[in-house]
Amino acid sequence: MTPGTFTPEQLITARLIELVDHRTPWHRSLWQVGSLLCLQEVLEYAEGVRVGAMRTEGLTHVTKSSSALVQRDVGLGSDEVRAAICRILDLGAVKAGVVDRSVADSLAQLTRRCENGYIRAWAGAVDRGDVAADQVELTARSLVSHLLDAGFSGDHLHGWLLASRDKGVSLPDLLAKADEMCRREPTEYEVLVPFTSLPSELASAAGDRYITWDAMSERLRESRVPDPPVRQGAGALIFRTKAREPKAAIGAVEIELRRLAARVAIGLSSKSVQPSGHVLVLNGARPRWTPVRSRSSEILVSSITRHGLLLPAARSETDTPLDDAFELLAAVETSTSWASVAAIWAAVEGLLARADEPGVNAADRMASVVAGGFVRAEMTQLIDVLAASKEPLAEQLGANSQLTQPQKLDLLARNLQGGSMPQVNDPADAAAIGRIEALTADPAVVMTRVRGYYRDSFRRLFNQRNLLLHGGRFDSVALPATMRTVPALVAAGIDRLVHAAMQNEPSSPFELAARADVEIGLLGTSGSRQLHRLLD
């Protein structure tokens, strides 16, 4: 099948599922936040400028990027509503813009006006046939980011979308259900967390939230739920949290567990707290033990293994920044969200910012590095897909082929640019081919837009760090979305930097970022032939 064989509805549904699957590689994953959260972020940034914690240049950037997003997002309502929002955003950071409280109030009201009908507006566009094949990516990313920003967990959405697809639910019916889900009030959940190690001081402070192991087992027997799949431990704590659904409640409790561990580490000498690794939502529809998934499983710097860097060695002046970046990125697994933000940004800044320039330059350089590896990553995955197919190209792209990987990329590029679209059976792969088609048709425009998405993500990370260190803010509206989207992108960028540093003619992080900028800037219609070789 070619991309055109699948309907836009099939492609959108496939991308919805792929975007919420935690196994999806970085180049096919969700990079941005929803339009409504972008508008809330603009208001938060404007408040930071008013109190002197944020720079006007940063506000100018977020208003400009939000305006471009609003113009394309039909979920925000009519052309008149989106035009009214853009008129405010296009004023930027001037005194007549959102820095003015009255103007900010108007933007806040427009944002609230769009909230309730967001999914219904997209559903209407789909139902009318207004979503064309070239809007598949925009539609899927807009809908998924909205649902995640609304508080649903990716794991919950993934399971629901898979079940709906397998039942043959149409996209309009799927969106009607999503709209209904969004209009429900959050539920208060009770989440049971067993511990293999729990200081007595903490058990005492927890009061009736603490139960002994025997009392927990008795309660579970009464509810006909088995004991947790671990050895007998030190008891359990009950956490209460409001959430959209049980898996979102588990995600909220996982954050609480990190905060708890941090307090014990500095509040109790020589003692530690160790959850068992499984949790139970007591008032879920079907209570069952759920393993707490490691966040580090979604962050991979494969070049560490590929270039034999697993064993630390004597550090030279050249590899010390990269070595430090590995440790800082690993903090995502062990730290609270705010500590992770600070550590991840330190990894970016340490590699890509010079001492005499603003940190935002590091964000833009990392965006260029990641964008430079995007097309190659997309085409490499397509090579793996086609090698396992019955396509004529399969033998030449397979593991037994005599072609090198660059030669395989050249072969696939020639076929795609010559209009010979390979047949794929998965609509998600067809959507990927569609993205490559769009890139080859207008590489300069599309790659500039892709780099812009990455730039927004890395600048958001920089903004979160500034809110923490300069504004003393620990409740940013964009923190959950930042931790959801950015760590894997930073890992992808560092992976490219390590690869460049380990070549026979190594490139420094600054050199690689500059090269990516130059190559993207030189792209034109004729430059499409070299798209996949941006950062070989």
Side-chain angles (χ1 to χ4, degrees):
M1 294 182 183
T2 64
T5 306
F6 294 100
T7 67
E9 284 193 18
Q10 290 174 309
L11 296 173
I12 291 169
T13 300
R15 282 297 283 150
L16 290 174
I17 293 170
E18 192 172 40
L19 287 168
V20 293
D21 189 342
H22 69 269
R23 298 165 297 182
T24 297
W26 67 269
H27 56 91
R28 288 192 179 188
S29 66
L30 186 67
W31 313 321
Q32 69 267 27
V33 303
S35 298
L36 289 168
L37 185 57
C38 279
L39 296 176
Q40 294 168 20
E41 188 179 25
V42 167
L43 293 168
E44 183 176 78
Y45 213 123
E47 178 60 26
V49 170
R50 284 187 212 108
V51 300
M54 312 299 291
R55 297 170 62 90
T56 57
E57 294 86 348
L59 179 57
T60 298
H61 176 82
V62 296
T63 53
K64 182 178 180 180
S65 62
S66 296
S67 179
L69 185 60
V70 166
Q71 291 174 39
R72 303 175 70 210
D73 192 342
V74 301
L76 295 173
S78 66
D79 292 344
E80 291 78 13
V81 171
R82 283 181 280 152
I85 295 172
C86 289
R87 278 196 294 273
I88 294 175
L89 295 174
D90 292 345
L91 292 171
V94 299
K95 290 184 178 180
V98 286
V99 176
D100 183 277
R101 292 185 185 276
S102 296
V103 177
D105 289 343
S106 296
L107 180 60
Q109 290 303 316
L110 284 164
T111 302
R112 293 190 189 99
R113 191 180 192 279
C114 299
E115 286 176 352
N116 292 332
Y118 185 86
I119 293 181
R120 289 197 298 277
W122 269 114
V126 170
D127 202 38
R128 293 189 303 271
D130 291 346
V131 178
D134 61 354
Q135 294 176 302
V136 164
E137 196 68 16
L138 170 67
T139 306
R141 287 181 177 274
S142 298
L143 289 166
V144 164
S145 57
H146 178 79
L147 289 168
L148 291 170
D149 294 342
F152 293 96
S153 68
D155 288 343
H156 172 81
L157 293 174
H158 186 247
W160 168 63
L161 288 166
L162 280 177
S164 299
R165 182 199 62 185
D166 293 344
K167 293 175 183 176
V169 177
S170 68
L171 183 58
D173 288 344
L174 195 71
L175 297 183
K177 180 63 175 178
D179 179 60
E180 178 192 332
M181 288 162 49
C182 285
R183 286 187 279 115
R184 293 178 194 162
E185 290 296 322
T187 300
E188 184 170 278
Y189 290 98
E190 287 193 336
V191 183
L192 182 69
V193 183
F195 288 80
T196 56
S197 174
L198 190 70
S200 58
E201 296 91 339
L202 180 55
S204 176
D208 61 1
R209 290 178 53 192
Y210 169 75
I211 55 176
T212 65
W213 196 272
D214 290 341
M216 178 188 70
S217 295
E218 178 64 27
R219 179 170 178 173
L220 292 173
R221 279 193 296 272
E222 292 174 356
S223 303
R224 298 183 179 180
V225 176
D227 281 344
V230 293
R231 290 185 178 183
Q232 181 169 340
L237 293 179
I238 295 175
F239 292 82
R240 297 178 179 88
T241 183
K242 280 192 173 184
R244 289 284 191 178
E245 32 81 11
K247 290 183 179 178
I250 292 173
V253 168
E254 192 268 343
I255 293 173
E256 289 301 306
L257 290 173
R258 292 175 186 274
R259 291 173 176 165
L260 186 66
R263 294 187 183 200
V264 169
I266 63 174
L268 293 174
S269 176
S270 303
K271 294 189 178 182
S272 64
V273 57
Q274 184 62 52
S276 71
H278 288 76
V279 300
L280 176 72
V281 180
L282 293 171
N283 57 335
R286 294 182 298 275
R288 59 179 179 269
W289 292 103
T290 301
V292 176
R293 181 160 43 86
S294 167
R295 289 193 291 184
S296 65
S297 63
E298 300 167 29
I299 301 168
L300 179 64
V301 181
S302 59
S303 55
I304 292 177
T305 303
R306 196 164 61 248
H307 293 292
L309 302 178
L310 283 174
L311 189 65
R315 306 203 312 175
S316 68
E317 185 177 338
T318 301
D319 61 26
T320 293
L322 284 170
D323 201 24
D324 292 341
F326 298 158
E327 296 180 35
L328 290 165
L329 188 58
V332 175
E333 174 59 19
T334 58
S335 303
T336 60
S337 294
W338 272 119
S340 294
V341 162
I344 295 170
W345 174 252
V348 174
E349 189 172 39
L351 291 169
L352 290 166
R354 296 185 172 93
D356 58 345
E357 63 184 11
V360 72
N361 289 13
D364 292 349
R365 289 188 182 112
M366 185 61 90
S368 295
V369 169
V370 175
F374 167 70
V375 182
R376 184 184 179 92
E378 282 273 57
M379 293 183 65
T380 297
Q381 185 166 352
L382 283 177
I383 284 174
D384 294 338
V385 169
L386 296 172
S389 72
K390 295 180 180 180
E391 275 285 296
L393 289 175
E395 186 175 343
Q396 292 174 282
L397 298 178
N400 296 324
S401 170
Q402 299 300 310
L403 299 180
T404 65
Q405 187 67 9
Q407 288 172 332
K408 291 178 182 179
L409 288 165
D410 284 335
L411 175 62
L412 179 57
R414 287 196 302 272
N415 276 265
L416 293 174
Q417 290 158 8
S420 177
M421 291 297 112
Q423 295 182 357
V424 291
N425 297 319
D426 188 337
D429 294 328
I433 291 174
R435 292 193 294 275
I436 296 296
E437 280 189 288
L439 277 163
T440 56
D442 199 344
V445 170
V446 176
M447 280 306 299
T448 298
R449 185 165 65 237
V450 168
R451 180 173 56 180
Y453 287 139
Y454 291 137
R455 184 173 291 171
D456 289 345
S457 295
F458 291 120
R459 286 197 178 203
R460 181 170 293 111
L461 174 66
F462 181 52
N463 179 35
Q464 294 302 303
R465 174 262 193 187
N466 288 343
L467 281 171
L468 170 65
L469 297 184
H470 303 312
R473 289 286 301 273
F474 294 84
D475 58 348
S476 169
V477 295
L479 175 60
T482 302
M483 291 306 300
R484 185 178 71 235
T485 57
V486 174
L489 292 182
V490 174
I494 290 177
D495 188 71
R496 298 304 304 165
L497 296 177
V498 172
H499 181 73
M502 299 304 295
Q503 300 306 301
N504 292 331
E505 296 183 7
S507 297
S508 72
F510 294 103
E511 289 171 335
L512 190 67
R515 178 185 164 195
D517 261 338
V518 167
E519 294 298 331
I520 292 173
L522 291 175
L523 283 175
T525 303
S526 60
S528 62
R529 296 183 181 278
Q530 300 301 319
L531 262 175
H532 63 288
R533 309 188 77 168
L534 280 173
L535 286 186
D536 281 353

